[in-house]
Amino acid sequence: MDQLTDFLLATVSSPFVYVVVFAIVVIDGFFPPVPSESIVVVAAAVGVSTGAPNPIAIVILAAIGAAVGDNIAYWLGRTVGTSRFRWMRHPRSVAAFDWAGRGLARRAASMLLVARYIPVGRIAVNMTAGATGFSHRRFWPLTVLAGTCWAVYSVLIGVLAGHWVKEQPLLGAAIGVVIALGLGLVIDRVTTAIARRREAPTGTPTGEAQRPARALRSTV
């Protein structure tokens, strides 16, 4: 994360920064170790403080990149499934994919929208959508909406942090990342609690299967 952030800060005065942000967001759609939220927040915070990169351009690129990354995960799921590789067969990964499958079957739209805010959970949901034959005609518009909302949310955090300490872009970027990580943790906890309540009446165990993000995070 620190190396990616340093690289981004080194390119803020160049148009190349937009390529970096877009590429990182796309890759994060199917490769969880890449911290796209933090990169988008940093770019927005620095942009507010120094004038570049342009936050509006970052919103557009992040939204498109998120949708592209999510659709790549979908096609990976359709191509390789969710059990071909060893890490996919780990009990925690299986639980996360099961959680994603149940959510898609019951409330696909809300599942896809909320999962975009869970770094690893969104990959489980998107790959499961592809593996289970979820209609791509229905899938891709939801990823565009989810990606747009996520991009606006991430950039707003960076913009607010950048305004608070406008004379210190690095401090603004750091504050924005902390806020984004904190909100991400809250979203993760809230979605886990909601899933637990919805599953409890059916008699489904409320342990590992209700923790998709933490489950995959420990195995990837």
Side-chain angles (χ1 to χ4, degrees):
M1 169 60 204
D2 290 337
Q3 288 140 346
L4 281 173
T5 302
D6 291 342
F7 179 66
L8 180 67
L9 291 173
T11 60
V12 291
S13 60
S14 166
F16 187 63
V17 68
Y18 298 108
V19 177
V20 172
V21 171
F22 179 77
I24 289 174
V25 173
V26 170
I27 294 171
D28 183 47
F30 57 91
F31 189 65
V34 178
S36 63
E37 283 91 350
S38 298
I39 296 301
V40 172
V41 169
V42 167
V46 173
V48 167
S49 301
T50 65
N54 187 308
I56 296 177
I58 294 298
V59 168
I60 295 172
L61 289 172
I64 297 173
V68 170
D70 289 350
N71 278 271
I72 290 175
Y74 174 93
W75 288 110
L76 283 174
R78 175 161 287 190
T79 302
V80 304
T82 57
S83 62
R84 177 172 299 185
F85 301 109
R86 184 175 179 180
W87 68 267
M88 293 177 174
R89 297 190 294 272
H90 188 282
R92 291 178 179 271
S93 298
V94 171
F97 284 122
D98 286 346
W99 168 83
R102 290 194 301 273
L104 286 169
R106 297 178 182 178
R107 49 191 184 280
S110 60
M111 191 72 171
L112 289 167
L113 292 172
V114 172
R116 170 99 290 268
Y117 297 87
I118 306 174
V120 182
R122 62 177 170 245
I123 297 177
V125 170
N126 294 332
M127 287 190 68
T128 300
T132 57
F134 186 84
S135 171
H136 188 252
R137 182 176 295 181
R138 186 181 176 197
F139 178 83
W140 76 261
L142 289 171
T143 62
V144 172
L145 176 59
T148 300
C149 293
W150 171 84
V152 171
Y153 150 86
S154 299
V155 169
L156 280 178
I157 291 174
V159 167
L160 290 174
H163 273 303
W164 287 340
V165 283
K166 193 164 186 178
E167 301 305 319
Q168 302 181 58
L170 295 183
L171 178 58
I175 292 174
V177 169
V178 170
I179 294 174
L181 292 175
L183 288 175
L185 180 60
V186 170
I187 291 171
D188 186 13
R189 294 292 178 85
V190 169
T191 54
T192 296
I194 293 174
R196 184 180 296 123
R197 288 185 179 182
R198 286 177 172 173
E199 293 292 341
T202 67
T204 301
T206 59
E208 302 297 338
Q210 311 310 329
R211 298 179 175 86
R214 289 188 291 280
L216 276 178
R217 192 175 294 130
S218 65
T219 60
V220 176

